Amino acid sequence: GRKIAVPEFSMIVLIGASGSGKSTFARRHFRQTEVVSSDTCRGLVADDENDQAATPDAFALLQTILELRLKGRRLVVVDATNVRPEDRRKLVEIARRFHALSVAIVLDPGEDVCRNRNAGRQDRAFGPHVVRNQMAALRRGLRGLAREGFRQVHHLTSVDEIDSAEVSRQR
Ligand code: GTP
Ligand code: MG
């Protein structure tokens, strides 16, 4: 499978539409304490992981955790859709401030896969346009990721590539 070798001190930003498998990927390859998730943060500030009104506070909390982990020179994985450049800008800025290397891992199994998976989820009740818009935003921004400040960009473009990816750490 695709080899993803990340520095021990890095900020890894998962990028992908809802249902692309970000939380599953994070769980498989990283320790629970290394992952900061927008859904978890939403739950912490508003009791409900789907409470969209809590989004600004959830991201404020996410960024605070990100800063505190990087201050301690600890690896951190950001589990949110992160599909728009404006979603990513603040994250890269924070990583740069702490001299952490920014890594983008794009999970892109295709719109149909995302939509079909979400259709079977109790916790994701939104229309197909949501995934379509997220995919469109992701595609538009792909080529700009290096310019945004990501030193590594890994674009996994099928279920198989995502499933077989191997993540390792380098000193
Ligand atoms: P959001 O949190 O909504 O943005 O989605 P996500 O990108 O975190 O997706 P998540 O990892 O929650 O996966 C969505 C659904 O797809 C879950 O029901 C998973 O069990 C399923 N899923 C994720 N990855 C895989 C995979 O590699 N293979 C299969 N068969 N199912 C997967
Ligand atoms: Mg998730």
Side-chain angles (χ1 to χ4, degrees):
R2 176 82 71 90
K3 300 224 178 350
I4 299 177
V6 300
E8 273 189 48
F9 184 42
S10 47
M11 174 193 67
I12 298 159
V13 177
L14 302 181
I15 301 172
S18 178
S20 60
K22 300 177 297 295
S23 301
T24 304
F25 188 91
R27 211 175 298 121
R28 183 178 303 163
H29 296 287
F30 299 95
R31 288 196 289 273
Q32 196 176 347
T33 51
E34 293 176 324
V35 179
V36 52
S37 137
S38 55
D39 279 338
T40 302
C41 290
R42 223 181 259 114
L44 287 168
V45 299
D47 303 312
D48 175 358
E49 297 200 348
N50 282 302
D51 185 345
Q52 296 307 312
T55 295
D57 286 350
F59 277 93
L61 177 59
L62 184 150
Q63 286 171 14
T64 298
I65 297 170
L66 173 64
E67 287 171 337
L68 293 172
R69 285 194 61 88
L70 294 179
K71 189 173 73 148
R73 295 190 62 79
R74 292 175 193 281
L75 182 143
V76 54
V77 179
V78 181
D79 176 7
T81 49
N82 296 315
V83 288
R84 299 171 307 163
E86 56 266 40
D87 301 330
R88 301 183 288 256
R89 190 176 303 126
K90 189 66 198 274
L91 304 176
V92 172
E93 183 190 308
I94 292 169
R96 196 173 272 145
R97 181 149 32 94
F98 291 97
H99 307 289
L101 191 129
S102 295
V103 175
I105 302 181
V106 183
L107 303 187
D108 188 3
E111 190 175 322
D112 290 350
V113 170
C114 297
R115 206 181 316 105
N116 290 336
R117 285 179 182 166
N118 287 338
R121 295 169 74 184
Q122 302 298 317
D123 59 332
R124 288 293 183 275
F126 44 57
H129 63 281
V130 172
V131 165
R132 191 181 320 127
N133 292 343
Q134 290 171 343
M135 293 292 255
L138 183 153
R139 294 260 151 76
R140 276 195 300 274
L142 267 179
R143 295 183 58 189
L145 286 170
R147 211 177 325 121
E148 287 178 28
F150 289 97
R151 299 276 300 279
Q152 293 183 9
V153 176
H154 304 278
H155 187 195
L156 306 174
T157 58
S158 68
V159 169
D160 188 58
E161 266 189 3
I162 293 168
D163 274 350
S164 63
E166 299 169 51
V167 177
S168 65
R169 298 168 193 223
Q170 352 168 266
R171 292 191 177 276

